[in-house]
Amino acid sequence: MTDVLSRHDTTRHGMRALVTRPRSEAAELAEALAARGIAAIIEPLLEIHYRGAPAPDLAGVQAILCTSANGVRALARLSQARLANERAVPLFAVGDSSAARARADGFARVESAGGAVGDLARLVRERLDPGAGRLLHVAGSILAGDLAGMLRADGFAVERAVLYEARPAAGLGADCVRALAAGIVDFALFFSPRTAAIFARLADRAGVAEAMSLVTAVSLSATADEGLGGLGFRERHIAPRPDQPGLLAALDRVLLERRRA
C-alpha cells in the first residue's frame, strides 16, 4: 500500500518521487528527499519477513558477512540473548547503510565495503585469512550475486544463514496508480534489479506503463536499471556508486541540470 509520510505532505512540495524500498528503509530516504523539496510516495515492492530460526552458531566463525541491512536486522533480532559474545565477532557489510545499521544494533567491530558484493569479497580477501575460521553469510532467501562462490574460490569456508525472506508486492497501491496516471510523479528510485523488475511487471499490469514517459528513473546500479526492461521513462540515470548517497548524487545532478535548463 502506498504511504506518503505526513511530514512530507505533497501539498508542500512541487515534486514527488516514488520510493520502492522496503518500509523499514524508506524513512531515511524520505527525509533526504524532503530536504531537496521532493515529497516521497512510499510504495514498498518487497515486504520483509523474518524467519523464526534459532540464532546461528558463531563458534569458530572469524567474521559475519552481511549483504543488506535486512540481514543485519534479522541477525540482531535472533541474537539478543547472546549480545556480548555474538556482537563482538567482526562484521563485514556490503555498504555504508548496512554498516551503520550494524553499529546501531550493537555490533562492535564493523567494516564497510562501500559498494557491491564484489567489493565486499575484495575487502574480505584483504582483511581475513582463509585458515583462521569459517565465514557466516547472513542472507535472504534470494541472493544478489554469488558472494560465497567468490570467496570459496580463494579457499574460504563460507556458511550461509537464511534469516529472512523478501516477498514481492502483489500489485501497486491505488494511490500510487492514481499518482502515476495523473502524471504527478517526477522520479522513481530503484535500489535492486529485483525491485525494478517487480515494478515493471506491476506497472504494466496496472495499466500505467505509458505514464513513465513523464517519470525519471534513478537506479542504484546498471543491473537495477536493466530490471526496468523496456519501460519508456522520460530519462534513466544510474548512480555513480551503488549506495544511497550515490543514488542521491545522481538525483542531485538531474535537479541541477533542470535548474540550468
Side-chain angles (χ1 to χ4, degrees), residues 207-220:
V208 292
E210 292 185 1
M212 297 312 119
S213 62
L214 300 174
V215 181
T216 294
V218 184
S219 298
L220 194 73

Side-chain angles (χ1 to χ4, degrees), residues 191-206:
F191 282 75
S192 74
R194 190 179 179 204
T195 52
I198 292 168
F199 178 79
R201 183 176 70 252
L202 297 183
D204 182 64
R205 184 185 300 171

Side-chain angles (χ1 to χ4, degrees), residues 42-72:
I42 299 176
E43 180 72 13
L45 297 180
L46 292 172
E47 184 177 354
I48 305 303
H49 292 263
Y50 297 105
R51 295 188 173 183
D57 182 10
L58 296 185
V61 170
Q62 67 166 316
I64 300 165
L65 312 181
C66 288
T67 45
S68 75
N70 289 314
V72 175

Side-chain angles (χ1 to χ4, degrees), residues 1 19 22 32 56 64 72 82 109 114 127 185 205-206 214 248:
M1 178 181 292
V19 175
I64 300 165
V72 175
R82 294 181 285 175
R109 301 166 62 189
R127 297 281 196 274
V185 177
R205 184 185 300 171
L214 300 174
L248 289 170

Side-chain angles (χ1 to χ4, degrees), residues 64-89:
I64 300 165
L65 312 181
C66 288
T67 45
S68 75
N70 289 314
V72 175
R73 291 187 186 94
L75 182 61
R77 287 164 60 92
L78 294 176
S79 62
Q80 293 293 337
R82 294 181 285 175
L83 177 67
N85 291 335
E86 295 199 354
R87 301 193 193 188
V89 176

Side-chain angles (χ1 to χ4, degrees), residues 246-258:
L247 185 141
L248 289 170
L251 178 61
D252 286 339
R253 284 202 302 271
V254 176
L255 294 172
L256 180 60
E257 289 170 1
R258 292 186 183 178

